[in-house]
Amino acid sequence: MGADHAQRAFIGSFTSAGGRGISVAAFDRDTGALSLLASTDAVADPSFLAVGRAPGTGDAVLYAVRETSEGAAAAFRVDDEGAPRLIGEVRPVDGAGPTHLALAAGHLLTANYGSGSVTALPVRDDGSLGPATGVLVHEGHGPDEGRQSGPHAHQVLADPSRNWVLSVDLGTDSVRVCALDPESGSLRLHTETALRPGTGPRHLVFHPSGEHAYVLNELEPTVTVCRWDAAGGVLEPLGEAQVLPHDHDEDGAVRTYPSEVVVSHDGRFLWTANRGHDSISVLTLDETAEKPVLAAAVGCGGRWPRDLTLDPSGQWLYAANEHSGNVSWFAVDAGTGIPVHTGSVEVPAASCVVFA
């Protein structure tokens, strides 16, 4: 993938809800605008994407989950302006409903919501995937009988030191820290951090310093602030902050389900996407990075923002609005962190945006 392709974005969507699958868009760095170029539905319901590089060639590779009952993951070549092309086989993840994926230690990891597990698949020299080498099955439940009758791994990611893998489980109100063996691809549970029961943790993001992490909760509109000890692989909860104004639902008619959390490159701001309230919240961070304060909440430019993403420069913020079928972009005010809606593009059943 050449220099021209550094100005590309990839958008995932639910084919089962009328989405195009994976769409490729040109990215205008000056205006933030996305212009659709091509799409592929080679994999059903590619709800989450990640960009990496083939170990043997250095070529850019796009990875996608298949969020179905028989979950799978796939690799795509993105070396021209056309639609991404499959590399190798679509690999089963030996789990149900994968909702997230990440690269670590020569492997692709998937968080499998339906089966409450995390899977590791080796990345081959050409970027294609090998068969699953390790599956770590979560155990436990939470107090919400409708959503927490069992484990539901929703996100998996490597920590900034690249020594640990963290998995966020909505069903067990906890975050697991795991060790991934780069040779065998096996996963071993190291520690498990319990969060407040019933909060339903969904996604986590690290502060640029690598010393703190913020866990966004789906079942309550809060973010849990944690201290991260990379040497010991220990996540320590410190407190919680509200991500919505106290009067956000005075009549109780609309419940809000936060979906994604993003931190600014300079560590001064935290943004969350809030489904139901259909907003983007702005929280400020002080020098300690331990006390987020809600500063504003603005409209997401659509309905049901499932994902929130910064462009590589940190100047533009993107919301993938699933129910309204569009991706909106916002100019980020460098002084206040408040995003200003600038434009949008139609993408039916949009679920995520990633940049090459």
Side-chain angles (χ1 to χ4, degrees):
M1 187 157 140
D4 186 56
H5 291 271
Q7 300 180 56
R8 295 287 180 265
F10 302 96
I11 305 168
S13 63
F14 288 96
T15 57
S16 60
R20 303 184 182 103
I22 300 172
S23 297
V24 184
F27 164 51
D28 187 320
R29 298 181 183 185
D30 295 328
T31 66
L34 299 180
S35 303
L36 298 180
L37 300 172
S39 64
T40 176
D41 59 0
V43 171
D45 290 346
S47 63
F48 208 86
L49 310 173
V51 177
R53 293 201 173 272
T57 64
D59 293 337
V61 180
L62 181 69
Y63 296 96
V65 296
R66 185 180 72 194
E67 191 179 335
T68 59
S69 57
E70 296 181 355
F76 293 84
R77 192 177 308 283
V78 288
D79 56 359
D80 57 40
E81 294 187 9
R85 294 177 289 116
L86 276 171
I87 309 172
E89 299 181 38
V90 177
R91 296 291 187 180
V93 299
D94 298 340
T99 53
H100 194 266
L101 77 173
L103 292 157
H107 290 78
L108 183 74
L109 304 164
T110 66
N112 311 314
Y113 182 87
S115 53
S117 61
V118 173
T119 301
L121 304 100
V123 176
R124 293 173 167 170
D125 282 349
D126 64 352
S128 65
L129 299 172
T133 54
V135 179
L136 181 71
V137 179
H138 294 184
E139 296 180 353
H141 59 86
D144 187 324
E145 295 182 0
R147 296 293 307 278
Q148 297 183 310
S149 60
H152 292 299
H154 210 298
Q155 184 198 32
V156 61
L157 74 165
D159 84 304
S161 75
R162 312 299 293 182
N163 291 325
W164 306 101
V165 169
L166 287 78
S167 58
V168 183
D169 196 300
L170 185 150
T172 62
D173 292 316
S174 63
V175 178
R176 289 166 174 79
V177 179
C178 307
L180 171 63
D181 187 319
E183 299 299 326
S184 67
S186 63
L187 288 159
R188 174 180 58 83
L189 180 62
H190 175 64
T191 60
E192 182 176 356
T193 299
L195 304 182
R196 185 165 60 84
T199 52
R202 178 184 173 98
H203 277 198
L204 174 155
V205 68
F206 284 97
H207 188 272
S209 69
E211 298 176 355
H212 293 87
Y214 309 96
V215 183
L216 183 65
N217 301 307
E218 177 174 330
L219 301 185
E220 290 190 12
T222 58
V223 62
T224 303
V225 182
C226 301
R227 182 178 292 116
W228 172 243
D229 174 11
V234 177
L235 190 69
E236 176 192 1
L238 300 176
E240 294 181 17
Q242 295 288 325
V243 301
L244 289 177
H246 289 292
D247 61 353
H248 72 278
D249 186 20
E250 292 181 337
D251 59 6
V254 179
R255 184 171 176 180
T256 294
Y257 300 90
S259 60
E260 184 61 286
V261 57
V262 175
V263 66
S264 63
H265 295 343
D266 61 10
R268 296 170 55 218
F269 304 109
L270 199 69
W271 298 282
T272 71
N274 312 304
R275 297 169 298 176
H277 194 251
D278 290 341
S279 65
I280 299 171
S281 293
V282 185
L283 293 88
T284 58
L285 295 168
D286 62 12
E287 293 181 356
T288 71
E290 295 181 355
K291 299 177 181 179
V293 176
L294 180 63
V298 302
C300 67
R303 290 184 292 110
W304 209 253
R306 186 180 177 87
D307 186 44
L308 200 60
T309 309
L310 272 178
D311 83 295
S313 74
Q315 297 177 300
W316 304 99
L317 191 65
Y318 296 80
N321 299 310
E322 182 183 353
H323 288 181
S324 55
N326 67 306
V327 172
S328 295
W329 52 89
F330 302 77
V332 175
D333 186 295
T336 65
I338 295 175
V340 178
H341 186 228
T342 307
S344 66
V345 63
E346 180 184 349
V347 184
S351 58
C352 78
V353 179
V354 298
F355 287 86

